Amino acid sequence: MSTQETRKTTPKAPGIRQTMSDVHTWTGLLVGWILFAMFLTGTVSFFRDELSQWMRPEVRTTTLVDAATAANRVGDTLQRIAPDSPAWYITFPDARANTAQVTWRGTKGFESGAFDPATGQRLEARETRGAEFFYIFHFQLHYLPVIWGRIIAGICAMFMLIAIVTGVIVHKKIFVDFFTFRWGKGQRSWLDAHNVLSVFGLPFHLMITYTGLITLMALYVPWGIQAQYPTQADRARFNSEFSAFLNPTKPAGEAAPLLPLATFVQAAEQHWKDGQAGRLQVINAGDKTARVVVVRRDSQRISNSPSYQIFDGVTGEVLKTVDGARPAAETRGVLYGLHIGRFADDTLRWLYFLCSLGGTAMVGTGLVMWTVKRRTKLPDPTRPHIGFRLVERLNIASIAGLSIAMAGMLWLNRLLPVGLAQRAEWEINGFFIIWGVTLLHAIARPAKRAWLEQLWAGVALLALLPVFNLIATSRGLINSVRDGDWVFAGVDLMLLALAALLAEIARRTAKHQPRAKPAKRNAVAQPKISTGEPRTNG
């Protein structure tokens, strides 16, 4: 065979962009369903304080008092209802959270509740995890051991980071893509939407993914810490740099009165000058070994590295002061703070929310694009192979189905009997039961019908929930606007806005017609016209 003939028969090795395109497609697809759930529940978590208030409609906005007053009032109640508890944990209210959240160790494990910061009394409210469930779920999932849930979330985040970097390499015309969007062009529209969403939030997507990995880095790569902090004492020093948590110790068994908790809060705030207390921990209250930890509020600084003081609970002596961390720990604290965004004011928090919602849509459009592109290449698009059907059904359940499950959980918050045993757990169980039903529905129905039925079901659940609030509760949208209760009004308006968004997606999905399979090219090749679009396997 001649050299020229050999060149003609040897397949050309894929270039760097084609290789990156393959990596981009498969890293996004393999964990895309979990990533979509992590992004969407993480997006909601930026307003978890407000949504948690909405999920306890019995609790009216209470008088906002300073942390010292709240500490004294709640502390008095805890001394009455949990005097023998080895540990109390009090999170003080602020402009976004209207109650003091309290947890203590009881005889049957941890107990918790919302307390009125002005009176210190425990508030009678329905049992719910509130939006805290969405926050915890987005980085450690549910029904799994915590460590395994976080490992899975970390692997997915690593895949996401690879997908973002390879996506930037593939789309060399990244800024041209930003200004290019064509409605009603089928596959082309999905790709345009994916590109626009990716470019619009690229800095945020890189930041939120990378900092998400940093938050759990000690879990993924523990060897450096083990080498640097080999002994138990070293490990305790490491923990003090990363956490303000004080492990309960065995009490001495010698009774000693605990000083008023306001004493410690005021002393810590005087030390910080412009800082306020965010939470407080009491160990062995009423015992000679009592200790009180006062932690600075996170919302006043970007870094999440701990800043706290430890006091002798009996004498009031300052035993330890931590005002920051060493450079490596402080760097990690700043990155962690950027990820959770607790320092953000209302404007910046909305920007976080919108960029994160765009990231959710970016993952979703990527998943849908995989099936849209491949359907045109199938021998018979009406009878796809099992692998294609599996991806398609998982797409439906993970995108449209998750919206139904999240809205369904909010409905359960309103409909489950207030006195139901383990009510909070049943809200969460109901979330997963509904999500599972959407998967069964996606499997049982033709794909397009399943998309439309689930999208419209999501529209109905989201749009009717504010109507139900209006009819069945005293905190409906009209009353909330009249009373200036913008937490409840804001959540109801957001539900209506999300319903409108899903309705528009459903309307466009109904109009979509899969492109017919292109005819085979003639043996005599026609000149290829470049579209400027990178060839992908997605």
Side-chain angles (χ1 to χ4, degrees):
M1 184 179 293
S2 68
T3 304
Q4 189 174 8
E5 289 174 327
T6 303
R7 284 201 195 103
K8 288 180 179 178
T9 55
T10 303
K12 186 179 178 182
I16 182 66
R17 289 182 62 215
Q18 183 56 47
T19 302
M20 291 296 105
S21 175
D22 294 341
V23 174
H24 178 76
T25 298
W26 288 105
T27 51
L29 177 69
L30 293 177
V31 297
W33 303 290
I34 301 177
L35 278 174
F36 185 88
M38 289 170 61
F39 254 95
L40 187 55
T41 51
T43 300
V44 172
S45 300
F46 288 123
F47 287 101
R48 62 175 169 152
D49 288 336
E50 291 79 4
L51 187 56
S52 291
Q53 282 194 53
W54 185 91
M55 294 176 79
R56 293 187 183 91
E58 300 86 357
V59 180
R60 292 280 179 177
T61 300
T62 56
T63 304
L64 190 60
V65 297
D66 60 83
T69 303
N72 259 2
R73 305 277 165 76
V74 175
D76 289 345
T77 302
L78 286 172
Q79 285 191 337
R80 190 177 71 255
I81 66 174
D84 299 325
S85 171
W88 304 339
Y89 309 90
I90 305 172
T91 301
F92 300 123
D94 58 20
R96 297 179 57 213
N98 61 346
T99 61
Q101 294 298 314
V102 182
T103 301
W104 65 94
R105 290 180 184 237
T107 54
K108 298 180 180 179
F110 282 100
E111 297 182 48
S112 62
F115 285 62
D116 188 328
T119 66
Q121 298 302 307
R122 187 174 186 177
L123 295 164
E124 295 298 327
R126 66 190 62 200
E127 186 189 347
T128 179
R129 291 273 299 278
E132 192 71 14
F133 164 69
F134 295 129
Y135 171 69
I136 299 295
F137 175 84
H138 105 274
F139 66 87
Q140 69 182 32
L141 310 179
H142 198 72
Y143 295 136
L144 294 173
V146 170
I147 297 298
W148 279 108
R150 295 186 178 194
I151 288 175
I152 292 172
I155 292 172
C156 293
M158 181 60 73
F159 273 57
M160 181 70 187
L161 189 61
I162 294 171
I164 291 174
V165 173
T166 53
V168 171
I169 296 172
V170 169
H171 294 282
K172 65 179 183 180
K173 296 181 178 179
I174 194 164
F175 292 104
V176 174
D177 288 342
F178 180 75
F179 296 101
T180 303
F181 185 78
R182 286 152 283 192
W183 281 109
K185 300 295 182 183
Q187 174 185 320
R188 182 71 249 182
S189 296
W190 282 110
L191 181 60
D192 287 346
H194 184 72
N195 291 340
V196 168
L197 290 166
S198 303
V199 176
F200 175 74
L202 180 60
F204 178 84
H205 301 152
L206 274 172
M207 180 277 289
I208 208 74
T209 305
Y210 179 70
T211 55
L213 283 169
I214 292 297
T215 60
L216 299 174
M217 66 177 184
L219 175 65
Y220 310 139
V221 282
W223 307 286
I225 296 170
Q226 291 169 357
Q228 189 68 25
Y229 302 90
T231 67
Q232 192 68 25
D234 291 335
R235 202 65 55 81
R237 182 162 54 86
F238 168 80
N239 289 333
S240 71
E241 290 190 16
F242 280 84
S243 171
F245 180 80
L246 191 64
N247 282 317
T249 56
K250 187 176 180 180
E254 185 177 341
L258 180 70
L259 287 175
L261 295 183
T263 305
F264 309 106
V265 173
Q266 289 165 345
E269 291 185 339
Q270 187 175 9
H271 168 73
W272 292 321
K273 293 183 174 55
D274 58 345
Q276 295 178 340
R279 60 186 189 276
L280 178 146
Q281 180 186 4
V282 180
I283 302 296
N284 298 334
D287 188 83
K288 183 182 177 181
T289 60
R291 296 289 182 269
V292 177
V293 185
V294 183
V295 185
R296 191 173 178 180
R297 191 181 295 281
D298 291 334
S299 60
Q300 295 181 318
R301 55 207 181 96
I302 294 178
S303 175
N304 194 55
S305 60
S307 177
Y308 61 94
Q309 285 193 308
I310 301 178
F311 299 88
D312 185 312
V314 177
T315 66
E317 178 189 359
V318 178
L319 302 177
K320 185 175 183 178
T321 298
V322 175
D323 284 329
R326 291 190 293 179
E330 191 65 28
T331 301
R332 183 258 188 192
V334 170
L335 294 174
Y336 192 177
L338 285 172
H339 184 83
I340 56 181
R342 288 179 186 158
F343 63 90
D345 58 14
D346 290 345
T347 303
L348 188 55
R349 185 170 298 105
W350 272 107
L351 189 59
Y352 261 75
F353 177 83
L354 293 174
C355 288
S356 190
L357 193 62
T360 308
M362 176 186 68
V363 176
T365 53
L367 288 170
V368 171
M369 196 167 61
W370 192 92
T371 56
V372 170
K373 290 188 73 171
R374 272 165 178 72
R375 182 178 290 279
T376 62
K377 301 174 183 176
L378 294 173
D380 182 359
T382 61
R383 303 178 67 180
H385 54 76
I386 183 68
F388 183 92
R389 290 206 302 271
L390 176 63
V391 172
E392 194 170 47
R393 266 48 181 186
L394 287 173
N395 280 355
I396 297 169
S398 61
I399 297 174
L402 180 59
S403 301
I404 294 174
M406 293 177 73
M409 184 176 169
L410 300 183
W411 272 97
L412 291 174
N413 174 262
R414 290 293 190 262
L415 295 177
L416 287 178
V418 174
L420 178 67
Q422 296 184 318
R423 188 180 188 283
E425 291 304 311
W426 275 112
E427 283 185 6
I428 297 171
N429 292 336
F431 166 84
F432 286 103
I433 291 171
I434 295 170
W435 202 2
V437 169
T438 64
L439 177 59
L440 295 177
H441 172 266
I443 294 171
R445 297 285 288 157
K448 186 166 183 177
R449 293 307 311 166
W451 270 115
L452 291 174
E453 288 165 3
Q454 293 203 16
L455 287 170
W456 284 117
V459 171
L461 287 172
L462 289 167
L464 292 177
L465 191 48
V467 178
F468 179 82
N469 277 333
L470 189 65
I471 298 171
T473 76
S474 62
R475 307 193 72 173
L477 181 56
I478 296 175
N479 290 338
S480 297
V481 172
R482 185 191 59 202
D483 298 340
D485 186 351
W486 291 108
V487 170
F488 271 68
V491 173
D492 278 357
L493 289 172
M494 181 53 63
L495 292 173
L496 293 172
L498 292 174
L501 178 62
L502 275 188
E504 177 61 16
I505 295 173
R507 191 181 70 81
R508 292 192 174 276
T509 302
K511 292 172 62 178
H512 172 69
Q513 294 296 331
R515 195 173 65 178
K517 184 181 179 183
K520 291 184 177 179
R521 295 181 177 180
N522 296 330
V524 180
Q526 299 298 318
K528 185 176 180 180
I529 301 174
S530 173
T531 62
E533 173 191 348
R535 187 172 74 85
T536 68
N537 286 337

